[in-house]
Amino acid sequence: MSFLNKVVNPLGLGGNGKKKIKGEVVLMKSTVLGFNNFQSSVVDRVFEFLGNEISLQLVSAVHSDSSANGLKGKVGKAASLESWLIKLTSLTAGDSAYNVTFEWDEEVGVPGAFIIKNNHTTEFFLKTLTLQDVPGEGRVVFVCNSWVYPAGKYNYDRIFFRNQAFIPSETPAPLVWYREQELINLRGDGKGERQEWDRVYDYDLYNDLGDPDQGSTYDRNILGGSSEFPYPRRGRTGRAPTKTDPSSESRLSFVSSLEVYVPRDEKFGHLKMTDFVAYGFKAITQFIIPALRMKFDRTPGEFDSFEDVHDMFEGGIQIPKSILDGLSTNIPTPFLKEMFRTDGEQLLKFPLPHIIKDNKTGWRTDEEFAREMLAGVNPHIIRVLQEFPPTSKLDPNVYGDHTSTITEAHIKDNLEGFSISEALENNRLFILDHHDTFLPYSRRINTTSTKIYVSRTILFLKNDGTLKPLAIELSLPHPDGDQFGAVSNVYTPAEHGAEGIIWQLAKAYVAVIDSGHHQLLSHWLNTHAVIEPFVIATNRQLSALHPIYKLLQPHYRDTMYINALARQSLVNAGGILEMVVFPGKFALENSATIYKNWVLPEQALPADLLKRGMAVEDPSAPHGLRLLIEDYPYAVDGLEIWSAIKQWISDYCSYYYKTDEAVQKDIELQSWWKELKEVGHGDLKDEPWWPKMQTRQELIDTCSIVIWIASPLHAAVNFGQYPFGGYLPNRPMISRRFMPEKGTPDYDELSSNPELAFLKTVTAEFETLVGVSLIEILSRHASDEIFLGQRDNPEWTSEENPLKAFERFGKKLSEIEEKILSRNNDDKLKNRVGPAKFPYTLLHPTSEEGLTAKGIPNSISI
């Protein structure tokens, strides 16, 4: 067809009188830094003129191709996208719609898939193909959401299936071969280094954290594949080993760190959020950290007072012009202004954290300290105290006796008339226990510049529903050896003089250890790391046609990419996390020892509450549980959301699986579960707690847990990071010295300058600015965020029952939003807002963009 004919007759209507099927393709052209790649666009127009077009072929769902021994659906004639040459797209990245006209072939009949070939030079993101007036069917929709590279990059055809789900045994026969072949393509062969256009999902150990070629300082243990350091698997990149250690994978340079391999479709997600996070990490690692080092090398800095800390938000930090110029050259202006609000000035400014917006001093109160255990950023660690004094589960043959040194004398006068036995019997005593988790590593951690205590905090439930701290025990390993137990000191509440600041410091040491637990375990390990094997296994073993794939896929968006970025810049040797969180170089290794005790069924919110003794089973109570602390915001909001998720998944799974036998005979589902258990979480494969995946209920429970982890749980521990921790004194992440002792100048300073004494103990100014820069980025929502109860395309399935069930789910979440806001306005619920006047909204399902301290995205995308 001539160029003139393409322009004059863009629909490509022939004169043979055959029926035509009109369709519309929606795609997004390849972009660079948010703008169209102009040079590639010109080349593609030349290719289009020469006949190298983007072509599509429909694949029958009803008729097989006899020439392929009846194994494949019959393929129709190729049709090309129309008007590529004359359609101009806007300069900013966005969708483009193109017509396509297929010649109807009765021998093809109703299509169940289509093949697309990109004969251009650049990739594009294919969103949808919609066909109109298909005989006997009407409107047919294909939801694609995939990057399509030039055809020469693949040794197979790119195929997309209709928006209808089938368990394997019910797949239309003409589509079975395509379904199976697509999974083979996605699994790959486990060989070679992966390239950006690859679509291969495979597993590897965490052998890319260290950089032994840079010297022993950057050596790190390999996580996964051993009983000493078990770990979930990550996505394989196939990069070459290091020169020094053939078992370690080489690392990318800072310059190319954003190009770390993940399957290309895992790198799209929310375009704005992905770019924002990527450029944020780049700005911090390549520019902000060097700028701050330059500043503090010249004038070593300390915060002198809490007002000095407030200057971070009200004044800003001066940035050298050379650094600002580097930022401007390497980071797109819109991202630069949004991330650092430089506005052309040489200032690094931070927004005011929620914790001090309405009350600058509320964070210092004992009530707020305790409230954040129920309604803060790490609200699922506190547990009921069942024995006094608290005991340890550490092996006494290795670590000696670690029974708590908190005695009756420390707490009996603050029990509001209860004896200790009565308080225990009436469930009035609670504990935040960070003793056993970090004690085995504390000796090594304290050989560095960091000085930490492991802690136990005992609290009493008052009649008004709030908690008050009774005692804090701070412990160190015995100086003569682990086998001799611990050396401990107990601190009790005080308000004035040196004892008052000692109490404030004791709470700060607890906040430090809780912050480390939050970052390494609650956040990184128990959401990011444990979900990645699910992402990989789902893509390797469940076809895009599979109903469970369609259920779970939205909850995986961007997770592999954000984890890969984290391994490049955050959790790697010398990365930001090692710099700003107390375990330092032992951080990820410590998390591996805790993973030994990870139990999938216990990640369900009801199971977690029961395990911690924070609830008891009660069939007459909402959700079948009665909370021991009725005003427990995380649990109250979380149980409503958990129940909504569980109902939605039950409705969905019951539609596709009518019996337990259907679950048992689903070959893809069984392969998925086997691989997930034996490979993805293979270091725990012999644990007895794994569900057998033999019943509908096991399937419903498992999918509920996966979605809970990826969506509400991650939201609860992520989006409050800056609102609670952006103000350093509230949640410091490092302690630099031990508690001052009487008779020392440091102790005298407690009375003469208590704020300086406090600030000299916790995170230094340099690490604070780096840490705050990081958690601000991690706590943001993008404008194109997709929240729980939403889908990026309302036609994600064509089946009416699942669509109606999903609509009910969305309505239920809207009702929960209203209940959360109502509870936050109830003065009787004192834990909802607290002395800081900061309402608990971290499990409020939707949010505006930015730093909002609310909103539950579908996936771990940041």
Side-chain angles (χ1 to χ4, degrees):
M1 182 184 292
S2 70
F3 171 62
L4 181 61
N5 192 32
K6 285 187 179 182
V7 175
V8 174
N9 187 16
L11 291 180
L13 297 176
N16 56 16
K18 286 193 174 182
K19 180 174 177 57
K20 305 292 182 182
I21 302 297
K22 293 185 178 181
E24 181 184 70
V25 170
V26 177
L27 58 81
M28 185 180 69
K29 295 184 179 181
S30 178
T31 60
V32 176
L33 303 184
F35 295 92
N36 286 323
N37 187 330
F38 180 75
Q39 182 177 354
S40 295
S41 177
V42 171
V43 174
D44 285 342
R45 288 171 186 267
V46 173
F47 270 57
E48 185 81 11
F49 177 73
L50 296 175
N52 297 317
E53 303 163 320
I54 295 172
S55 67
L56 297 85
Q57 294 173 279
L58 300 180
V59 179
S60 178
V62 293
H63 299 302
S64 296
D65 186 349
S66 58
S67 66
N69 297 320
L71 297 176
K72 299 182 185 180
K74 190 169 180 61
V75 179
K77 291 183 179 180
S80 299
L81 294 191
E82 299 159 6
S83 306
W84 187 282
L85 284 169
I86 61 174
K87 183 181 283 288
L88 298 176
T89 56
S90 61
L91 288 178
T92 55
D95 297 346
S96 301
Y98 295 91
N99 292 325
V100 60
T101 304
F102 297 94
E103 187 175 295
W104 176 251
D105 185 345
E106 293 289 350
E107 294 185 5
V108 172
V110 177
F114 73 91
I115 293 169
I116 186 167
K117 291 186 178 179
N118 176 7
N119 294 308
H120 289 180
T121 61
T122 55
E123 72 274 17
F124 55 83
F125 187 76
L126 180 63
K127 291 195 168 184
T128 58
L129 166 64
T130 304
L131 304 179
Q132 304 292 348
D133 301 321
V134 174
E137 197 73 12
R139 193 165 181 271
V140 176
V141 177
F142 303 81
V143 178
C144 309
N145 289 334
S146 181
W147 287 98
V148 179
Y149 275 75
K153 298 295 186 183
Y154 308 112
N155 57 6
Y156 54 85
D157 289 332
R158 290 301 313 275
I159 190 166
F160 294 94
F161 298 100
R162 187 179 172 182
N163 63 340
Q164 187 173 0
F166 299 97
I167 60 175
S169 61
E170 297 177 0
T171 308
L175 297 180
V176 170
W177 183 89
Y178 294 101
R179 178 176 186 147
E180 294 173 349
Q181 191 61 42
E182 178 69 351
L183 286 175
I184 291 172
N185 295 335
L186 291 169
R187 292 176 198 136
D189 60 7
K191 300 176 181 178
E193 182 173 356
R194 301 265 65 97
Q195 303 300 318
E196 68 167 270
W197 52 83
D198 286 337
R199 304 170 57 240
V200 173
Y201 293 80
D202 206 352
Y203 303 94
D204 211 337
L205 307 174
Y206 275 69
N207 63 348
D208 61 341
L209 300 174
D211 193 358
D213 290 346
Q214 299 299 315
S216 59
T217 301
Y218 294 93
D219 275 339
R220 295 295 181 271
N221 283 310
I222 294 171
L223 306 184
S226 69
S227 58
E228 185 179 10
F229 300 119
Y231 223 62
R233 299 301 187 260
R234 64 169 175 95
R236 177 185 178 275
T237 70
R239 292 198 303 269
T242 62
K243 297 175 182 177
T244 308
D245 178 10
S247 62
S248 294
E249 184 173 277
S250 59
R251 296 185 53 78
L252 297 176
S253 66
F254 266 140
V255 175
S256 56
S257 60
L258 301 188
E259 304 307 317
V260 60
Y261 172 78
V262 294
R264 187 64 175 93
D265 290 348
E266 301 302 324
K267 208 169 181 176
F268 176 75
H270 318 305
L271 182 66
K272 293 179 183 177
M273 179 56 75
T274 303
D275 285 350
F276 185 83
V277 173
Y279 290 124
F281 286 179
K282 182 177 181 180
I284 292 174
T285 55
Q286 294 189 43
F287 300 101
I288 298 303
I289 290 176
L292 294 174
R293 286 198 191 282
M294 188 184 304
K295 170 184 172 64
F296 291 113
D297 282 348
R298 288 198 303 264
T299 55
E302 288 282 0
F303 292 118
D304 297 323
S305 67
F306 294 145
E307 280 304 313
D308 207 9
V309 180
H310 278 276
D311 284 344
M312 291 172 53
F313 318 110
E314 296 167 0
I317 307 297
Q318 194 80 13
I319 300 177
K321 185 176 184 304
S322 60
I323 297 296
L324 188 61
D325 290 343
L327 278 166
S328 302
T329 302
N330 288 272
I331 308 296
T333 301
F335 294 111
L336 183 64
K337 287 187 175 181
E338 179 62 18
M339 285 187 291
F340 300 109
R341 290 159 302 283
T342 59
D343 299 324
E345 302 174 11
Q346 290 175 235
L347 292 174
L348 179 61
K349 300 179 182 177
F350 297 94
L352 197 64
H354 293 66
I355 193 67
I356 56 170
K357 272 186 177 180
D358 292 327
N359 185 339
K360 285 187 175 182
T361 60
W363 67 272
R364 300 184 68 171
T365 64
D366 288 357
E367 183 180 340
E368 180 62 28
F369 171 72
R371 183 189 86 98
E372 290 183 23
M373 300 178 196
L374 303 173
V377 76
N378 201 29
H380 57 311
I381 310 304
I382 188 173
R383 59 181 173 85
V384 71
L385 186 63
Q386 297 177 325
E387 58 182 350
F388 187 87
T391 58
S392 169
K393 293 182 180 180
L394 294 173
D395 184 350
N397 294 319
V398 177
Y399 294 104
D401 183 10
H402 279 266
T403 302
S404 175
T405 59
I406 300 174
T407 66
E408 181 178 355
H410 288 120
I411 66 174
K412 63 184 177 65
D413 294 336
N414 284 305
L415 297 179
E416 299 185 359
F418 286 90
S419 67
I420 289 181
S421 60
E422 290 171 338
L424 288 170
E425 184 178 349
N426 286 275
N427 296 316
R428 301 295 286 265
L429 292 176
F430 296 82
I431 185 169
L432 184 73
D433 191 345
H434 289 307
H435 185 95
D436 289 3
T437 302
F438 293 106
L439 190 283
Y441 273 82
S442 61
R443 188 185 302 277
R444 279 174 281 179
I445 291 169
N446 286 336
T447 63
T448 71
S449 59
T450 297
K451 307 300 174 189
I452 66 156
Y453 295 99
V454 296
S455 68
R456 292 182 175 116
T457 305
I458 294 182
L459 307 104
F460 178 78
L461 178 62
K462 297 164 59 179
N463 290 331
D464 65 359
T466 63
L467 292 170
K468 67 175 179 181
L470 301 177
I472 292 173
E473 178 188 60
L474 301 179
S475 303
L476 293 170
H478 197 286
D480 295 333
D482 289 346
Q483 69 273 25
F484 295 103
V487 175
S488 303
N489 286 299
V490 177
Y491 303 90
T492 54
E495 294 184 5
H496 305 294
E499 293 305 310
I501 190 62
I502 286 283
W503 175 244
Q504 289 294 333
L505 283 175
K507 291 192 293 182
Y509 287 117
V510 173
V512 167
I513 205 84
D514 191 65
S515 293
H517 185 286
H518 163 259
Q519 288 292 0
L520 299 177
L521 306 178
S522 300
H523 187 199
W524 168 256
L525 174 65
N526 290 335
T527 63
H528 284 258
V530 300
I531 281 295
E532 186 158 354
F534 284 89
V535 182
I536 300 170
T538 299
N539 282 278
R540 285 171 56 87
Q541 300 297 342
L542 298 182
S543 164
L545 281 169
H546 200 287
I548 302 304
Y549 176 92
K550 290 185 180 295
L551 173 68
L552 296 180
Q553 190 274 336
H555 301 285
Y556 297 153
R557 175 172 286 184
D558 286 344
T559 302
M560 286 188 73
Y561 185 46
I562 197 68
N563 285 1
L565 287 178
R567 295 196 309 274
Q568 285 297 122
S569 303
L570 299 187
V571 301
N572 60 299
I576 299 174
L577 201 70
E578 288 195 355
M579 186 184 303
V580 301
V581 179
F582 74 81
K585 65 181 181 180
F586 303 109
L588 267 286
E589 180 182 315
N590 196 171
S591 74
T593 64
I594 304 304
Y595 173 66
K596 295 177 183 180
N597 300 316
W598 183 77
V599 177
L600 177 65
E602 291 179 356
Q603 307 311 303
L605 179 59
D608 168 61
L609 292 168
L610 291 170
K611 179 184 178 183
R612 292 187 286 120
M614 299 300 288
V616 294
E617 292 182 343
D618 184 349
S620 66
H623 322 294
L625 293 180
R626 177 173 58 83
L627 294 172
L628 298 188
I629 301 177
E630 291 183 16
D631 182 17
Y632 182 178
Y634 165 75
V636 172
D637 298 356
L639 283 171
E640 290 189 347
I641 290 167
W642 168 266
S643 296
I645 291 171
K646 191 76 174 288
Q647 185 61 58
W648 146 238
I649 295 174
S650 180
D651 291 345
Y652 182 87
C653 290
S654 297
Y655 176 74
Y656 292 101
Y657 297 92
K658 305 302 183 187
T659 65
D660 291 344
E661 186 180 21
V663 172
Q664 297 162 15
K665 291 187 174 180
D666 185 332
I667 57 173
E668 287 184 6
L669 188 70
Q670 294 302 321
S671 296
W672 170 68
W673 193 241
K674 176 180 172 64
E675 181 172 285
L676 179 70
K677 181 173 71 171
E678 296 183 0
V679 184
H681 282 280
D683 295 335
L684 303 179
K685 66 178 183 295
D686 295 324
E687 296 296 329
W689 46 257
W690 283 102
K692 305 301 182 185
M693 202 54 69
Q694 295 295 296
T695 67
R696 286 197 305 175
Q697 194 58 53
E698 285 180 319
L699 176 61
I700 291 166
D701 290 345
T702 298
C703 290
S704 299
I705 292 170
V706 171
I707 292 174
W708 170 257
I709 293 172
S711 197
L713 179 59
H714 179 260
V717 300
N718 183 75
F719 293 100
Q721 289 187 85
Y722 189 86
F724 282 103
Y727 183 63
L728 155 79
N730 187 53
R731 284 190 69 79
M733 290 188 275
I734 291 175
S735 46
R736 295 180 284 158
R737 64 179 185 177
F738 294 125
M739 186 74 81
E741 297 182 2
K742 285 185 178 181
T744 66
D746 289 342
Y747 188 88
D748 294 339
E749 191 176 48
L750 297 179
S751 298
S752 63
N753 196 337
E755 289 188 6
L756 179 60
F758 182 99
L759 292 168
K760 284 169 68 173
T761 301
V762 297
T763 318
E765 188 173 5
F766 169 75
E767 286 79 9
T768 295
L769 294 173
V770 174
V772 168
S773 298
L774 171 65
I775 62 174
E776 185 196 348
I777 291 171
L778 298 181
S779 301
R780 286 180 168 273
H781 292 296
S783 60
D784 56 352
E785 192 86 84
I786 302 174
F787 294 99
L788 188 65
Q790 301 174 355
R791 292 276 177 137
D792 59 358
N793 190 313
E795 294 184 283
W796 60 274
T797 181
S798 61
E799 292 159 289
E800 185 177 359
N801 282 356
L803 284 174
K804 286 184 176 178
F806 190 65
E807 183 180 1
R808 291 194 297 272
F809 177 49
K811 289 180 178 178
K812 185 64 177 178
L813 291 175
S814 295
E815 294 171 6
I816 292 171
E817 283 193 351
E818 294 178 5
K819 289 182 179 179
I820 289 172
L821 296 178
S822 176
R823 286 192 286 266
N824 284 347
N825 288 319
D826 187 341
D827 292 338
K828 296 190 296 295
L829 302 177
K830 296 182 180 299
N831 295 324
R832 299 296 311 190
V833 177
K837 307 300 180 186
F838 178 13
Y840 185 74
T841 54
L842 289 175
L843 289 175
H844 184 281
T846 60
S847 173
E848 307 78 39
E849 67 176 299
L851 282 167
T852 63
K854 63 180 180 179
I856 305 175
N858 268 331
S859 64
I860 302 170
S861 59
I862 192 168

